[in-house]
């Protein structure tokens, strides 16, 4: 009962990050590599996500300050500006991809793009204007449960269980070895799980929910439950798309609805329909959480009231920022001939590349004993946190070097 | 173990959660912290990561331009 009451930010942030581009990345992974290396790798990325997000729980619960306002308070406006610039750019691009996912998912059912995007925007507005964090959180959690819809689709794809088990133990096979597509999917799958908006969102949501230092244990459990559920949904998406790999169907330019249509012969119309619903849901939930993340950061930095518990009169700048972020992204999706495909392709890569500075700010704050006291990082927590940072930097450098010198990779 | 009151139902739980959590949501109760001292090493690290991000974004913009130009 207590867990049900205290669960929320952790589950929301993890399922929120299983968003439109993430599910498309996982589907691309399944279609390109089948059952093998990427299954345990995706689980590893969720372990990394737990390590990072657990620190935001402690920061929020102990300081009762959002991520953006704490960065501004402790590092000043100069460094705070950079952190915000990363967040604003990343959030806007990601929000655009969420509306692309909504459009693609509903497109499977013949819903016109403008109607799909407008409908999603109205849902985001309707949920936000519930004007109480608790109500907002429960409605969004209700939507987020549909992320599990990929599990029945995976079952309908009839994956060979022995291959799945072997992949988790051996991290193989890796068809084609290390090539440009492998590097891109590595970056996309990391960016599908560990991104800057998650830090800002969960810390602010922990504060808005009212968790205190006494609730850190429940916050950890909430985050762990979210990571496990989201990892299961992610792995299920890879498995659901595996028939495309087995039957050699090229999926490199697929969007959400294309995957659903291509999978229909293998998972049936019901499976294809569930897949399209899953893509739509992933985009919708992330549109709600990411626009909230932008609005929290805006309110924190501008010193304005920034809570979903504020009345419309009191918190109008917060609500206006939230709805404006969603409206701008929704409008961009409807611009004729906008390069939406390129945005979807690079948004997770940008998330991975902009993550190291965000984690360093996080590590500096969570090691700050003046604000964290006994809840500051332990040596083992620092080891894991620094390991994640180093891994992300190395992945980024590897991506950069192999992009500039593609001949270093086998074709 | 006998109890005087039945366990709270979902509606009771929601009311309890609001009453328990919302006092901690009051912004006025927040502590204001001053600037943290940044050592030279930390400043170098932050600048290095800033340069890293800018270089990587430039690389991505270049790749997008290349991809949009595409094979003709």
């Amino acid at each position: 009962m207590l867990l049900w009451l205290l669960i929320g930010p952790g589950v929301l942030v993890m399922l929120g990050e299983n968003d439109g581009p993430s599910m498309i990345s996982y589907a691309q992974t399944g279609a390109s590599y089948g059952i093998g290396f990427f299954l345990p790798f995706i689980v590893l990325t969720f372990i990394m996500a737990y390590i990072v997000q657990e620190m935001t729980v402690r920061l929020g619960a102990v300081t009762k300050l959002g991520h953006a306002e704490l960065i501004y308070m402790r590092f000043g406006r100069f460094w705070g500006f950079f952190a915000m610039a990363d967040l604003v750019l990343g959030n806007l691009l990601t929000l655009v991809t969420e509306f692309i996912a909504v459009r693609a998912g509903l497109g499977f059912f013949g819903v016109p793009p403008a109607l799909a995007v407008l409908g999603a925007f109205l849902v985001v507005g309707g949920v936000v204007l519930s004007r109480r964090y608790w109500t907002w959180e429960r409605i969004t959690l209700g939507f987020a449960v549909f992320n599990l819809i990929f599990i029945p689709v995976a079952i309908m794809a009839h994956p060979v269980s022995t291959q799945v088990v072997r992949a988790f133990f051996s991290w193989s096979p890796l068809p084609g070895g290390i090539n440009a597509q492998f590097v891109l999917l590595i970056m996309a799958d990391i960016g599908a799980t560990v991104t800057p908006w998650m830090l800002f969102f969960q810390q602010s949501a922990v504060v808005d929910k009212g968790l205190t230092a006494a609730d850190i244990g429940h916050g950890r459990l909430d985050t762990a439950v979210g990571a496990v559920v989201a990892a299961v949904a992610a792995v299920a998406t890879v498995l659901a798309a595996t028939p495309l790999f087995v039957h050699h169907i090229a999926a490199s330019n697929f969007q959400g609805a294309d995957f659903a249509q291509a999978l229909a012969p293998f998972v049936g119309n019901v499976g294809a329909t569930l897949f399209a619903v899953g893509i739509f849901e992933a985009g919708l939930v992330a549109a709600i959480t990411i626009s909230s993340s932008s609005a929290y950061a805006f309110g924190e930095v501008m010193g304005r009231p920034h809570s979903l518990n504020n009345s419309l009169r009191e918190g109008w700048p917060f609500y206006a920022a939230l709805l404006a972020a969603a409206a701008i992204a929704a409008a961009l999706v409807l611009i004729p001939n906008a390069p939406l495909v390129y945005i979807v392709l690079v948004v997770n890569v940008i998330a991975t590349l902009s993550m190291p500075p965000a984690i360093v700010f996080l590590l500096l704050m969570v090691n700050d004993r003046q604000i964290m006291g006994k809840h500051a990082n332990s040596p083992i927590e620092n080891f894991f946190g620094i390991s994640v940072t180093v891994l992300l930097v190395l992945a980024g450098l590897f991506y950069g070097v192999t992009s500039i010198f593609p001949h270093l990779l086998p074709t | 173990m006998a109890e005087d009151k039945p366990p709270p139902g979902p509606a009771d739980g929601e009311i309890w959660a609001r009453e328990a959590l919302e006092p901690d949501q009051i912004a006025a109760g927040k502590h204001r912290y001053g600037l943290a001292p940044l050592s030279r090493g930390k400043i170098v690290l932050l600048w290095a990561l800033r340069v890293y991000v800018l270089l990587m974004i430039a690389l991505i913009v270049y790749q997008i331009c290349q991809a949009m130009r595409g094979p003709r």
Side-chain angles (χ1 to χ4, degrees), chain A residues 1-2 5-6 63-65 69-70 73-76 78-79 82 86 89 132 134-135 207-212 306 309 339 342 346 349-350 353-354 356-357 360-361 364 368 371 392-393 396-397 399-400 403-404, chain B residues 8-18 20-27 29-38 42-43 45-50 52-54 56-57 59-60 62-64 67-70:
Chain A
M1 182 66 184
L2 189 60
L5 295 173
L6 292 174
T63 66
K64 296 186 174 57
L65 292 165
E69 63 187 327
L70 198 54
M73 215 175 272
R74 296 302 277 165
F75 299 99
F78 181 75
W79 292 110
F82 283 127
D86 291 345
L89 175 67
R132 190 175 277 279
W134 177 262
T135 311
V207 175
D208 212 1
K209 191 177 175 77
L211 301 190
T212 65
H306 47 271
N309 291 312
Y342 301 112
V346 301
V349 175
I350 290 176
L353 295 176
S354 59
V360 166
F361 277 124
L364 290 176
D368 187 342
I371 61 173
L392 289 177
V393 171
L397 289 175
Y399 171 78
S403 297
I404 298 169
Chain B
D12 299 332
E14 187 172 326
I15 293 165
W16 176 85
R18 287 179 188 170
L21 295 172
E22 289 186 1
D24 289 308
Q25 297 166 342
I26 299 167
K30 290 177 179 177
H31 185 80
R32 311 305 295 179
Y33 298 101
L35 284 174
L38 280 178
K42 287 177 184 171
I43 291 173
L45 176 64
L46 291 176
W47 270 115
L49 287 169
R50 186 52 38 198
Y52 162 85
V53 167
L54 291 177
M56 288 298 177
I57 286 178
L59 175 68
I60 286 177
Y62 169 77
Q63 285 189 322
I64 291 174
M68 288 178 78
R69 198 175 298 159

